Each structure stands twice: as C-alpha cells, then as structure tokens.
Amino acid sequence: MNQEKITMAGLEKYLSLFEKAGVYWVCLLLIPIMEVLVSAMNALLYQRIINAVAASDSTLFRSALWLAGSVLTVNLARCIVIYTYMYQIRQIMKRLRLRVMTHLFRLPMSYFEGHHTADSIQKLCFHVEDIKTSLASRHQSVIKPVITGSVAIGMILWLDVRLGFMVLVLSLVSVKIDMFLSKPLRGMALRVQKLLTVCTERLTDILAGSAVIKMFAGARVMTEKYAAANAEAADASVKRFRRMSDVQAVEWVFGFLCNIVILIIGVFMSFAGMVDFGTVVAILSLQGMVSYFLGNIGSGWGCLIDSFVLADRVYEILEQPVLEEQTLREQTLREQTLRERDGSGAAKEEAAFLSQKDGIQIREAVFSYDGCEKVIDGINIAAERGKMTALAGASGGGKSTIVKLVLGFYRLNSGTVSVLGRPVSDDTLKELRSNIAYVPQDAYLFHTSIKENIRYGRLCASDEEVVEAAKRAYAHDFIMSFPSGYDTMVGERGESLSGGQRQRIALARAFVRNAPILLLDEATSALDAESEQLVQKGIEALMGGRTTLVVAHRPSTIEKADKIYVLENGKVCEKGRGAVSHMTQP
Amino acid sequence: MRQKDGVSQKARIWIMRYVGKYAKLILLALSAGALCAGCGVLGAALLRRVIDGLAAERLTGIGSIFFWCGGLLVTGAGAAWMTRYASGSAATRILQEVKDDAAAHISTMTAEYMAKKHSGDILSRLTDDVNRVSSFVQDDLISIITNPFLLVFYFTYLLYLNGSLFVVSILPVILCLPLGAFLTTKFKAGSKAYMQYSADIISASADMIGGMEVVKSYCLEDTLLEDYGASVEKMTRMAICNDKNQYKGRAFFILSGTLSSILCLVTGGWFCLQGRLTIGSLVAFFSLLPKMVEVMNDMAGRIFNSKVALAAAERIFEILYAPSEQTGDIESGRMEAPAIEFRDVSFSYEEGTFVLTNTSFRVLRGETVAVVGASGGGKSTLLRLLCGFYRPQQGSILVEGIPLADWNLEALRSRISYVSQHAYLFPVSVGENIAMGKPGADKEEIRMAAEAANASGFIEKLPDGYETPAGERGSRLSGGQIQRISIARAILKDAPILLLDEATSALDVQAEADVQKALDRLAEGRTTLVVAHRLSTIKNADYIVVMEHGSVAEIGTHKELMKHGRVYPKLYSQYTGSGMEYADESGKNNNGGA
C-alpha cells in the first residue's frame, strides 16, 4: 500500500465518484473555516479580557465586547451553511445510487454469472450507503483538522513567533509519527471489508437453503462456516483496533507535551517580560486546536483511507466494462473478416447460408464460459422463419447456452449468430431482444403484482391485453381465484405460487410481448400433466407464424418440431425430423 | 405500540446479556475512560496553580509540578490506549456473538416467518443494521458511559472555582437540553421508517439483480431503473426530512455553546476586575468550560446516534425473536402404526384460502403411494406439512403413529428424506453437498450415493470431480445435474420415509429414465409418498391418491380408478395425450407432429 500513490492518482478518481458536488465541497471547506474564525475571535476576546484584568483596565474590557457580538453572528451564519451541506449530501447520494444501478444494468450477463448476487448487493446498497458516512463525517475528519490546525498555527505565530515556532515543530514531529503508525491501517480496513463480504455471502447461502438445513443435519456445516467467517472478520477487526489504539495513545502524548511545554516556556517568558500574559493564555486556548489537529490528523488520515477503500469497492462495479464500449471495435473487426471471407473460396457456401437468412442462424459457433472448456464447439443451426426448431440431447450438452447466445448474453469466441438476418452484436442488442419473447427454464417473477409481472412483457400493454395474454397462457382462472386477482403480489421469486402457476405467468409475459421470435427453455418442465397440456396448446397458438427455438425435454414437444437438433458435448450429433426416436426409449 | 415496547424491552435484556459476557473488558474501558477524564481536570488544576503563582510572583514547588506533569503524561497515554482498545474489542466480540446467534436462529425459524420476510430484509438486518450498531458501540457507547464521569469531575471542579460564574455560563446549555431531547424523539421515529424503506429498496434491488436474465431479455432496464430512481427519490426526501430534525437540534447546541463561552469570559473578567476571582482561576475555568460544554453537546449528539442504534438493534433482535419452530420430545415412532397418516387435515398459507380441506389418507410401512392432481391442488403442501415446515390449522398428521406436534422435529426429520421440486445446492463442493445427507460420511460412501443417483458419471467428468464447487444456486450445473446431486444427498441420508416432489421433472429423457431406476431402487423397502407426474411412477405405486381442489377426490389402484374413478380417468388421458406416456408409445413419436 503506497500512500503517495493514493493521494496522487487515487484522489482524482475518488473525486470523480461524486458528480455535481461543487456546493458540497464549498460547504465542506466553509464549515471548518467558520468554526476556526469563531475560535480565533474567541482567543482574541480571551487575550483582551485577560490583559484588561491583569492591568485592571475597564475601558480595555469594554472594547473587547464587540468581539463577543461578532462571534455570535458568525455562528448563526455557520448554522445555515451546515444545513446546505446536509442537503447536498443527500442529493449526491441520490445521484450516486442511480449511477451505480444504471451501470449495473448495462453490464453483460457474464458479470452476473461470475459474481455472487450478494456481492453486487453489498456494493450497490451497503457500500454506497457507507459512502454517505464519508461525505458526512470522514471528509470532515480530514478537512477540519487541516484547516483549524493551519489557522490556529497561523494565529499562534502572529501572536508570538517564538512560541508559535515551537508549537509548529512539535506538530510536525507528531504528524510524522502518526503517519508512520497509521500506515498499515488501510490494508487492515480492506481486509475487514473483504471478510465481511464473505460473511454476507455465507449468510445468503443459509437464507436460501434454510429448508435444506432443516432436513439435513449435515447441512449445519453451513452455519458453522458462517461462524468461522464471522470469527475471522472479528479477529481482523480487533487487530485493527489495536493499531488504532496505538495511534490514539501517541496522539495523546504529543497533545499533552505540547500543552505543558508551551505553558512552562510561556510562563517564564512572561515572567521575563518578553510577552504579555493575555497572549500566553490566548496561545494556550488556541493550542487546544493545534492539539485537535494533531489528535485527529492521524485518524483523519485513517478516515480518508477508509473512504478510498470504499470507493474502490464501488468502482469494482463502475469500472466493469459495459457492453457498448467494447462493441464498435469488435463489430467492425467481425465485419472485416466476413468481407475477407466473401472474397475467398468459401463465398459460395456463404451465399447459400445467407439465402435462408430468416429466423435464427448460428454458424460455426464456438463458445466457452471460462475460456478453456468449450461448451459450444462448432455448431451450425438454422431455425427457419415461422417454423419450430427443437434442441434436444442430454443435460449439459449446451442447449440452454445456445438460447443465451441467441439472446446476446455472451459473446461467441468465434462464429456468428444472426437473428432475422441481422448478426447479433452488442449494438443491435436492444433491437434484437425486442423481437424475442424468452421463457427461461426457471420462471423468474419479480416482487410485484401479477399484472405488473405480465406487463413486463410489453410495458405499454393495456389491462385488457394483460388479461387476454393470461387467458391464452391458461393463467386467468387461477389468477382470478386469488382474492385480489391480478393485483395479487407474488412473493419473493414468486415463491407463494406453485411451479405451474409461475410458469404460466411467465408464459403470459411472453404472450403479451407478441414478438416474432419465441425462445422456450424447457418451458413446460415444472407443469403437471393438466396444465402442461393447456400450456402446450397455448404455446402452439403463440407459435403460429413465429420462429420458435425450443430447448425440449418432452417427446411431445420434440414430436411437433419441424426440425430437431440433437446436441452432445457442444456439438450437433444428429439433425432432422424424428432423429431423436431412440432418445425416447427409456 | 405496546408490542414494540415489548421488543425494546426484550432487546434491552438481550443487550445486557451480551454485555454481561464481556463485563470485564467493558469495565476496563470504563475505568480507563474515567482515568482520562481525571487527567484532564488535574491538568487544569496544575494550570491554575502555575498562573496564580506567577501572578503573585512566588512560584514554588517547580519539582513537584514536573513530577505531576510526568505522571499525567504516562497515565493519560495508557488510559487513552486502553479506552480505545477495550471498547473496540468488546464491541467487535459482542456483535460477533449476536451475528452468530442470529445466523444459527435462521435455520430454526418457522417457514411461515421466512415466507413473510423477504430474504433481502433479513440480510439487511444482519449486515446493514449490525454495522449501524457496531459503529455506535465502537464510537459512541463508551463516550455515553464515560461522559457522566467527565461531567461529574468538571462540575465539581468548576463549582469549587466559582459557583456563580458556573451558573451563569452553564445556563444557555441547560436551557437547550430539553429542546434537543424533544427533537431526538422525532428523529428516532423518522430514522426507523427510513431504515425500513431502505431495506425495501435493497430487496427490490436484489430482485432485479437475481432476475437479470429476464430483465435483459425483455429490455426492462429503463423501466426498472425509472422505478428505482423514484424509490431513491422518495428515500432522499425521507432522509432530508430526518436531517431537518437533526439539524435543528444541532443548531441549538452550537448557539448555546457559543453563548456559554462568551458569558463565561465577560462575566469572569468582570468578576476579576471586582476582585472576586483570581486570573489563574479564570484561566483554569475557561480551559475546562469548553470541554464540559463539548461533552454535553457531544452527549446530545450521541443520544441521537443511540436512537438510530437502538432502532437498528430492535430490527436485529426482531430476528432473534422470530418465532422458532415448536418441537415435541418424542424421538421414536411406533413400529406397528401406519408410517404416515393424514386425519381430516385442513391447511391454509394465508387466512381465508384453504389449500387443503379435510384431507385424510394413510400410507402403510413400506408402501409407495402416488399423489396426483391438477397444479395448485395442494400436493406439494402435503409434503411440506410432513416435514413439519408448517402446522395444519385443523386435523392431525401422524408419522409412525405419533402426532407431528409431539415429535421432536430433529428426530422426525432424521427419519425423512425429502427431495423437493427445487433442488438447492450450497456453493460448496459437490462432494460436501452430498455429504450433508450424512455427517461424517467418507469418500467411498459419497461416491456410492452418487453412483446410485446416476450422478457419479458426470461428477467425475467435472474439472475437480467431487471437489468442484457447485456455485451459487448451482449455477454451473444443469437442472438435471443439480437434481441428481440432491437425490444422492437423499440416498446418503438413508431415511425410512421418502418424500418425492416431482423429483424428475427437470431431467431430460435419458437421465430421467436413469434417475427413475435409482429412485425405484431407493424406494425399495421404504415408505414412499410421491407427488407424481409420470405414468411410470403412478403405475408402480401401490395405490394412488387423487387430489382435487385441496381434498382427496378418490383413492385406489390404477386399475380400480380407471374402472370406477371420476377424476382419475380424465387426468390419465391428459397424461397420455401430452405424450408423457413415452414408455409405451415411443413408436408414435417418430411420425407425429407433421
């Protein structure tokens, strides 16, 4: 952890985390300035009054009273600035939250597969929330000691150069030692944060698998794992406290030394008539601020480091490349290679392929999630417009991956996917997806009403269209059997509904979308025989005139397909109609 | 309101319990804090002595002054170190225990409670709220406890220096305290509402992140972002409203502090001019007064924080107080009784809509019984009731002759293997996931179980075999693979009662056939209750329970029901019509679907 590096490169990056924060920074500076102004005027008041008392001079005493009035005025102004400051913090936080969420939405699907949900939530919610503490107090802890300290030192030097110089030397020595001691604090803070994230992950696991923990005594290991992670985090935290205590003790020693040394020297100087007594006590009263400066510059530094650590964690999201950024270059590259191939001997084959460019085309597709194990290995699939194409084969064969590739969730390692004649590339994603209705394997419902869940298929759909779609997905009857009908809230992940009901709502969503292309991933798997039959009919109605790509497990689905591809280990091992006849034998 | 106070009361008792455990450390922090305060007062007394001596031009005992200075330096540094360290580590350890207890409590919570609470809500209580409490305990608690000591020291010394000057200077601060307290109450109510709302936003965000596949494929980014923006806007408005209450209090404290120090100087100076006070006393007085006012204001600020922390603590303790599952104490059943018996069971998840009404049937030891019926007919609920996740509102359920309410839940569950519709894998290794079926199982046992579930083939092909991590919700494995691992877990458990819920639904045709065989093997000699969708399962069952609208419509063997049944033949024709009868009609599949 190089500290110089943090201040130089990190500061700029850190500041760019907060947008439109001008007023905030001004207030942040103004608050301690006004505070120090009050203290300085207080010190002068003190000096005048003590000198007046020492000389028993009541005119000098009365002339000091105007200072008292200005102290009150400045303080009133300070209250107004503080209010503005608090208001600005909330506005900055609002912008930051939106910025992180916006960025999260633009990340490619691979990010979400590679990161634990808890990790994203931790960053989006808890770390961002913590940044508020940076804005409200950590920045103050950095700025305030610096400003009050420097003004106090300036005042002391102005009151008496000799005493002031001594205060300065002591301050510098103290700061140096402080910095040295605080050095490992950043690494420690980072470690505690990381360990706490592990705790959150473990906790998410316990929450998600609580039923399994109940049924299998062996699964209590998970609770023990949480306890272990928790203990590790606590140990790291205690270690950090130990170091912070060291810093605190050293600060105390220097604050005290400063006080005593100045007092004794000042007393003797005043005894020798080198300085008046009022000045010595004024310096002593300001010395409290220098002590404050010394006492807090170290912890202030720690606070700054904490803020940087937090910002780093939020930047772990903000610095993830979003889709749009990488696209254009790759897109042009791909087109170039295509053009080159056009010129070569493969041109004929190319033309033949492109002639049936309706529907979905997958050519020479190679893909792997982790860069070594090929999930898709040189696949060619053509789903003709208006026809139903089924993907069959053993589980783990890459069927679901193909659907995800068509949706543009991942980039191919090589080869192309095109939909309705247009290649799938990052800059056509929105348009592409608007032409697709997708029913995932796991019917995912959002924590809102049934109506809204269906309407997510097409946001401008009217209530009538929603009901119509539900009817066609054979969901209307069971929805109406709920007391609040379409306004019934589905529980978290739709857990208050049965599998079949969830699936049918997801289907209704696809119906309402009314897109030319339909992607079904084992869509009927969780339905019982009755609803499966109903939904099957609905799907058939929906398929009319639409290009359909189905990941099929049921013979009934495969039976109706116009074309079947059987996948094995990321390759097409058979294709055609009826090719899977042997698969249906148990 | 009364109930809330109840939680507060309980929360206090719990806090005392945890605090009691670390009493030594806390006492250490306390006494160190008091020592720090004492050092401050002694320093001021020293100052007075030096200045008055100087003013009278007869400064004596320089040696003893140096001695006192040295003593103060060492004691003060030690006390400062100890205050920080002891308070920090006590706080950390206490919160560690609270978190451990809460996490352990999660697995004993009733399913009803879990279903009501969004898991994001629980998560937010155990992370966000714990952090709030933790920062309070680390920064504020020790001050709140040591500040009274400080105040007593300061009060005594300042009163001793000059009583009337003390009264004049302290007046503005005293007047402002009740006002501050009033604003504090308002602030507490506001911050609890704010916390609840931000927890809701976290739940909503968790939803969006979890459903990213749907969000992206339906291009919902912009809409959801707009919703999120609106929520954040509302949250900001709530926060600003809170800030106003907090701010008003703060402004009062700032102004009262300023007024108090000005009054002190002006009045004190005037007293000196009249000869009622020495300069040394005024200097000592003024060196301590700002510290005292600061402590008082600081107290007020920390009381604000304590309200936030208390609100957060209440939210945490609500988890510790979430109802636990009730358990009886009978640990073994009667061998001669039927393995499972439902007697007039009625059950509803939510008041008003019954999922089961007057359901009665029994399963004898060693029998295999299939439950069929339309979806939403309460089939899965039967299994959840048997596991003791929920309690029926009416009627009773007997397992091995013992009513469910009398069973020790752990003993009951150790006799049941439950393979649910949604298999859940923990993000630990595949091997560990299977081993959860039998704590302490060795590698060979795990491998055998995997083999019996037809899972050993693909597991051995995984990059690290049994050591391969399963990933969040088993993300790297296919549905069928997850299912088979969970079956292996159930096989390893080797319990006499087997509950299957559409266990083979996510498998492809080949794997399904394999798993079916494994399940048949598993079911041998065991009592099996299966929510069935496949004809092969149904046909192998000793008899079939047909469910309709939450109650038993008819019971009998396949043949009987085909002959005399009312609902069953219709259901059966749907099964065959939808092509699920692949075992008998595979020949048809070849030429179907033109």
Side-chain angles (χ1 to χ4, degrees):
Chain A
M1 301 286 149
N2 192 326
Q3 287 189 343
E4 276 70 32
K5 226 176 183 175
I6 296 159
T7 31
M8 300 306 272
L11 190 65
E12 201 176 331
K13 185 174 148 191
Y14 181 71
L15 292 180
S16 66
L17 192 63
F18 313 106
E19 292 162 326
K20 295 188 217 155
V23 181
Y24 167 80
W25 295 117
V26 170
C27 287
L28 184 71
L29 287 175
L30 264 181
I31 290 172
I33 287 176
M34 291 173 114
E35 241 164 68
V36 82
L37 206 62
V38 168
S39 308
M41 288 194 296
N42 258 331
L44 287 179
L45 180 68
Y46 195 21
Q47 181 197 29
R48 300 274 157 89
I49 283 179
I50 293 294
N51 279 342
V53 168
S56 296
D57 183 348
S58 52
T59 28
L60 190 63
F61 181 75
R62 251 172 258 127
S63 77
L65 290 181
W66 70 267
L67 269 167
S70 5
V71 167
L72 270 176
T73 322
V74 175
N75 252 330
L76 276 171
R78 192 172 129 212
C79 290
I80 296 166
V81 176
I82 290 177
Y83 181 70
T84 321
Y85 170 76
M86 283 160 99
Y87 184 81
Q88 285 298 319
I89 290 175
R90 298 296 180 183
Q91 298 298 330
I92 293 171
M93 284 308 294
K94 188 174 85 184
R95 286 191 285 268
L96 183 63
R97 273 178 225 276
L98 279 176
R99 181 170 158 205
V100 175
M101 195 58 164
T102 311
H103 193 89
L104 211 54
F105 269 129
R106 283 162 66 207
L107 291 177
M109 213 47 217
S110 51
Y111 175 84
F112 297 98
E113 306 256 335
H115 291 76
H116 201 292
T117 315
D119 190 52
S120 305
I121 296 173
Q122 177 103 8
K123 279 172 191 141
L124 174 70
C125 303
F126 308 134
H127 291 154
V128 171
E129 177 70 38
D130 223 12
I131 281 182
K132 202 212 110 199
T133 322
S134 295
L135 287 170
S137 66
R138 291 202 188 99
H139 291 167
Q140 287 254 19
S141 328
V142 180
I143 300 270
K144 207 171 140 187
V146 172
I147 289 185
T148 49
S150 50
V151 172
I153 290 170
M155 279 284 290
I156 289 174
L157 282 174
W158 174 68
L159 284 169
D160 191 274
V161 179
R162 292 154 295 190
L163 283 173
F165 186 71
M166 278 179 250
V167 170
L168 208 65
V169 169
L170 270 171
S171 313
L172 285 175
V173 173
S174 158
V175 166
K176 211 68 199 156
I177 294 182
D178 243 27
M179 288 263 190
F180 174 74
L181 281 174
S182 318
K183 219 173 176 178
L185 279 176
R186 185 185 190 197
M188 287 174 165
L190 198 73
R191 197 174 131 76
V192 171
Q193 280 290 348
K194 279 238 158 88
L195 289 171
L196 284 177
T197 312
V198 174
C199 281
T200 311
E201 280 177 15
R202 296 250 188 278
L203 197 61
T204 327
D205 299 336
I206 292 177
L207 280 168
S210 66
V212 179
I213 296 180
K214 281 178 185 172
M215 292 311 294
F216 294 95
R220 286 195 199 130
V221 189
M222 297 312 295
T223 319
E224 284 156 29
K225 283 194 179 189
Y226 173 76
N230 195 6
E232 207 181 336
D235 288 345
S237 176
V238 167
K239 224 169 142 189
R240 184 160 161 258
F241 271 115
R242 218 198 132 99
R243 177 48 70 117
M244 280 161 85
S245 314
D246 294 348
V247 174
Q248 186 108 352
V250 170
E251 278 165 4
W252 203 93
V253 167
F254 270 90
F256 190 81
L257 266 184
C258 227
N259 215 332
I260 293 297
V261 170
I262 300 302
L263 174 74
I264 291 173
I265 295 174
V267 162
F268 282 107
M269 278 169 78
S270 116
F271 200 60
M274 289 161 79
V275 66
D276 62 67
F277 191 56
T279 308
V280 175
V281 289
I283 287 180
L284 267 181
S285 87
L286 283 173
Q287 201 279 323
M289 282 169 68
V290 180
S291 286
Y292 171 78
F293 164 65
L294 296 178
N296 288 280
I297 189 71
S299 52
W301 187 255
C303 281
L304 189 66
I305 286 165
D306 280 356
S307 309
F308 274 48
V309 171
L310 269 172
D312 279 355
R313 308 230 84 196
V314 175
Y315 266 115
E316 274 171 32
I317 286 186
L318 286 178
E319 281 179 345
Q320 288 288 331
V322 292
L323 283 169
E324 282 79 349
E325 284 172 2
Q326 297 195 346
T327 55
L328 281 173
R329 196 160 31 93
E330 291 192 5
Q331 182 62 21
T332 35
L333 269 175
R334 207 176 294 156
E335 272 167 10
Q336 261 175 9
T337 43
L338 269 177
R339 244 178 269 127
E340 278 165 21
R341 256 202 240 160
D342 256 1
S344 76
K348 249 187 187 175
E349 193 192 336
E350 188 92 355
F353 227 105
L354 286 172
S355 68
Q356 35 166 302
K357 69 179 173 185
D358 301 333
I360 302 164
Q361 296 272 351
I362 299 171
R363 286 193 309 133
E364 301 294 335
V366 177
F367 174 73
S368 81
Y369 285 102
D370 51 7
C372 48
E373 191 194 348
K374 285 177 186 166
V375 185
I376 302 292
D377 190 4
I379 277 181
N380 285 303
I381 286 174
E384 287 167 54
R385 174 168 279 182
K387 298 279 175 63
M388 174 187 182
T389 307
L391 301 174
S395 63
K399 298 177 306 250
S400 300
T401 307
I402 287 187
V403 170
K404 288 178 183 170
L405 286 172
V406 173
L407 280 165
F409 284 167
Y410 301 102
R411 278 194 203 89
L412 284 173
N413 296 44
S414 68
T416 55
V417 175
S418 55
V419 173
L420 295 175
R422 298 202 53 180
V424 173
S425 72
D426 296 335
D427 46 16
T428 59
L429 273 184
K430 274 264 158 79
E431 187 198 330
L432 163 83
R433 287 178 188 155
S434 69
N435 283 320
I436 294 177
Y438 168 53
V439 182
Q441 200 164 13
D442 174 25
Y444 195 95
L445 300 185
F446 295 94
H447 191 41
T448 172
S449 67
I450 291 179
K451 193 203 282 171
E452 283 308 305
N453 262 297
I454 297 177
R455 206 200 301 275
Y456 277 148
R458 185 159 43 90
L459 294 160
C460 54
S462 67
D463 282 3
E464 289 75 39
E465 285 172 304
V466 168
V467 173
E468 179 58 28
K471 279 183 181 158
R472 288 167 73 184
Y474 297 89
H476 180 72
D477 291 342
F478 84 78
I479 294 173
M480 290 313 285
S481 75
F482 294 132
S484 359
Y486 281 85
D487 293 318
T488 308
M489 298 297 284
V490 307
E492 182 183 7
R493 289 174 197 263
E495 268 155 18
S496 57
L497 300 171
S498 79
Q501 291 170 335
R502 274 210 301 276
Q503 195 68 261
R504 279 183 275 168
I505 291 177
L507 279 170
R509 182 153 66 199
F511 274 99
V512 106
R513 187 152 191 81
N514 198 18
I517 288 182
L518 181 63
L519 295 181
L520 296 175
D521 192 351
E522 295 180 316
T524 57
S525 63
L527 298 190
D528 54 273
E530 186 195 356
S531 36
E532 176 167 336
Q533 203 181 27
L534 296 175
V535 168
Q536 206 63 46
K537 280 188 208 158
I539 289 174
E540 276 165 41
L542 179 67
M543 281 183 335
R546 290 188 173 87
T547 312
T548 310
L549 186 64
V550 192
V551 174
H553 289 152
R554 309 249 167 272
S556 58
T557 318
I558 297 168
E559 207 174 280
K560 288 170 192 120
D562 297 302
K563 209 187 222 175
I564 299 151
Y565 290 89
V566 182
L567 271 73
E568 206 179 279
N569 297 328
K571 290 194 168 93
V572 175
C573 68
E574 271 177 86
K575 85 181 204 189
R577 273 182 44 204
V580 283
S581 58
H582 71 284
M583 289 286 297
T584 59
Q585 306 282 357
Chain B
M1 219 41 229
R2 191 174 287 169
Q3 203 207 337
K4 254 185 198 163
D5 289 340
V7 173
S8 266
Q9 193 59 40
K10 281 179 182 171
R12 278 193 200 108
I13 296 169
W14 272 82
I15 289 171
M16 287 327 288
R17 221 181 81 184
Y18 287 113
V19 165
K21 252 184 150 171
Y22 292 90
K24 269 188 200 159
L25 216 49
I26 291 170
L27 270 177
L28 203 61
L30 267 179
S31 33
L35 207 58
C36 262
C39 288
V41 173
L42 276 177
L46 216 57
L47 188 64
R48 174 169 169 250
R49 195 178 142 192
V50 171
I51 290 170
D52 276 346
L54 187 79
E57 300 194 353
R58 48 176 177 79
L59 190 60
T60 51
I62 295 184
S64 85
I65 290 174
F66 273 104
F67 170 76
W68 277 103
C69 281
L72 276 178
L73 183 70
V74 175
T75 325
W81 189 89
M82 190 48 85
T83 315
R84 182 87 190 174
Y85 179 68
S87 67
S89 40
T92 311
R93 293 301 175 197
I94 288 174
L95 285 165
Q96 182 192 353
E97 283 206 24
V98 172
K99 281 164 88 177
D100 271 353
D101 288 355
H105 188 62
I106 288 172
S107 48
T108 70
M109 274 181 204
T110 59
E112 274 133 317
Y113 183 84
M114 295 282 280
K116 258 190 283 169
K117 289 269 179 248
H118 197 290
S119 65
D121 182 83
I122 298 180
L123 199 61
S124 129
R125 285 163 194 254
L126 287 186
T127 48
D128 223 12
D129 289 327
V130 165
N131 286 342
R132 282 197 186 100
V133 174
S134 137
S135 76
F136 167 74
V137 181
Q138 282 163 15
D139 303 331
D140 302 322
L141 189 60
I142 286 301
S143 302
I144 285 184
I145 302 172
T146 51
N147 279 351
F149 286 103
L150 275 172
L151 284 180
V152 169
F153 286 149
Y154 290 162
F155 265 61
T156 324
Y157 188 65
L158 291 183
L159 267 173
Y160 160 75
L161 282 176
N162 191 304
S164 28
L165 183 57
F166 175 74
V167 171
V168 171
S169 323
I170 208 70
L171 211 61
V173 182
I174 299 287
L175 287 178
C176 278
L177 279 182
L179 265 170
F182 167 70
L183 291 164
T184 308
T185 331
K186 260 172 111 179
F187 176 67
K188 185 199 168 184
S191 54
K192 198 167 182 189
Y194 173 75
M195 269 181 249
Q196 185 56 52
Y197 192 70
S198 44
D200 288 349
I201 291 187
I202 292 174
S203 305
S205 319
D207 249 11
M208 291 188 234
I209 295 169
M212 199 49 89
E213 239 180 46
V214 176
V215 171
K216 285 199 179 275
S217 60
Y218 281 87
C219 305
L220 293 172
E221 292 98 326
D222 294 340
T223 325
L224 290 179
L225 210 54
E226 238 169 69
D227 290 351
Y228 182 75
S231 313
V232 170
E233 180 69 49
K234 188 180 166 196
M235 186 164 115
T236 308
R237 275 203 306 275
M238 283 170 92
I240 287 175
C241 178
N242 265 353
D243 283 350
K244 271 185 192 155
N245 286 329
Q246 193 183 10
Y247 161 77
K248 279 183 207 150
R250 208 170 144 188
F252 270 116
F253 291 125
I254 289 177
L255 292 178
S256 66
T258 316
L259 213 58
S260 132
S261 78
I262 289 177
L263 277 175
C264 165
L265 271 184
V266 174
T267 323
W270 187 54
F271 280 177
C272 285
L273 281 179
Q274 288 190 329
R276 286 164 64 187
L277 195 73
T278 64
I279 298 188
S281 298
L282 179 60
V283 172
F285 197 102
F286 195 66
S287 79
L288 279 188
L289 181 80
K291 279 190 192 162
M292 190 185 72
V293 171
E294 199 188 299
V295 168
M296 287 171 82
N297 284 351
D298 180 68
M299 273 298 263
R302 294 199 195 274
I303 286 167
F304 271 121
N305 292 350
S306 84
K307 297 292 173 183
V308 178
L310 198 65
E314 274 172 28
R315 284 167 52 77
I316 299 167
F317 283 114
E318 270 166 27
I319 298 222
L320 285 172
Y321 269 96
S324 294
E325 291 176 313
Q326 286 172 4
T327 175
D329 46 14
I330 296 180
E331 292 190 356
S332 59
R334 290 202 301 273
M335 295 303 276
E336 70 286 355
I340 297 168
E341 187 174 1
F342 281 78
R343 281 189 195 157
D344 292 320
V345 171
S346 296
F347 174 74
S348 70
Y349 288 102
E350 275 165 51
E351 260 174 69
T353 44
F354 276 90
V355 185
L356 294 176
T357 40
N358 295 324
T359 305
S360 300
F361 67 90
R362 54 165 66 177
V363 184
L364 297 180
R365 194 172 296 272
E367 273 182 343
T368 296
V369 171
V371 184
V372 297
S375 81
K379 301 182 306 270
S380 304
T381 306
L382 289 176
L383 304 190
R384 285 187 207 133
L385 286 171
L386 272 172
C387 289
F389 291 158
Y390 296 90
R391 290 277 147 101
Q393 277 83 0
Q394 283 162 38
S396 56
I397 301 169
L398 286 80
V399 172
E400 296 179 346
I402 309 290
L404 226 52
D406 298 337
W407 268 99
N408 174 295
L409 271 185
E410 201 165 319
L412 171 77
R413 286 173 182 161
S414 73
R415 304 189 63 72
I416 295 175
S417 272
Y418 170 50
V419 180
S420 79
Q421 215 165 3
H422 305 285
Y424 181 84
L425 298 187
F426 289 100
V428 293
S429 76
V430 170
E432 276 179 277
N433 263 297
I434 297 176
M436 284 172 184
K438 183 181 171 192
D442 61 35
K443 277 188 181 159
E444 186 54 25
E445 283 175 294
I446 293 170
R447 206 190 53 75
M448 298 270 280
E451 203 161 288
N454 277 315
S456 60
F458 79 84
I459 294 174
E460 272 150 27
K461 273 187 220 148
L462 292 172
D464 297 310
Y466 286 88
E467 301 305 317
T468 313
E472 187 185 7
R473 283 179 189 259
S475 57
R476 275 297 160 84
L477 300 162
S478 76
Q481 290 170 334
I482 293 172
Q483 197 98 63
R484 275 180 277 169
I485 292 171
S486 81
I487 290 170
R489 183 158 66 189
I491 289 175
L492 191 60
K493 189 174 177 183
D494 195 28
I497 297 174
L498 179 63
L499 305 180
L500 292 178
D501 192 355
E502 300 177 315
T504 57
S505 64
L507 301 188
D508 55 77
V509 180
Q510 185 60 47
E512 179 176 325
D514 291 345
V515 169
Q516 199 61 49
K517 274 184 216 153
L519 286 175
D520 289 346
R521 229 180 293 147
L522 177 64
E524 257 169 49
R526 279 176 232 268
T527 313
T528 307
L529 185 63
V530 53
V531 172
H533 291 155
R534 324 247 160 267
L535 277 183
S536 53
T537 323
I538 298 169
K539 283 188 169 169
N540 290 339
D542 290 314
Y543 62 90
I544 299 155
V545 175
V546 184
M547 301 283 294
E548 194 186 40
H549 308 305
S551 56
V552 177
E554 48 206 19
I555 297 179
T557 62
H558 174 67
K559 272 184 191 162
E560 286 166 12
L561 286 171
M562 283 308 280
K563 220 179 259 177
H564 308 293
R566 176 177 58 85
V567 188
Y568 186 74
K570 211 171 73 196
L571 268 174
Y572 182 77
S573 72
Q574 281 167 0
Y575 274 80
T576 47
S578 66
M580 296 185 74
E581 179 57 319
Y582 49 82
D584 297 346
E585 305 179 16
S586 53
K588 269 191 196 170
N589 295 333
N590 296 344
N591 41 30

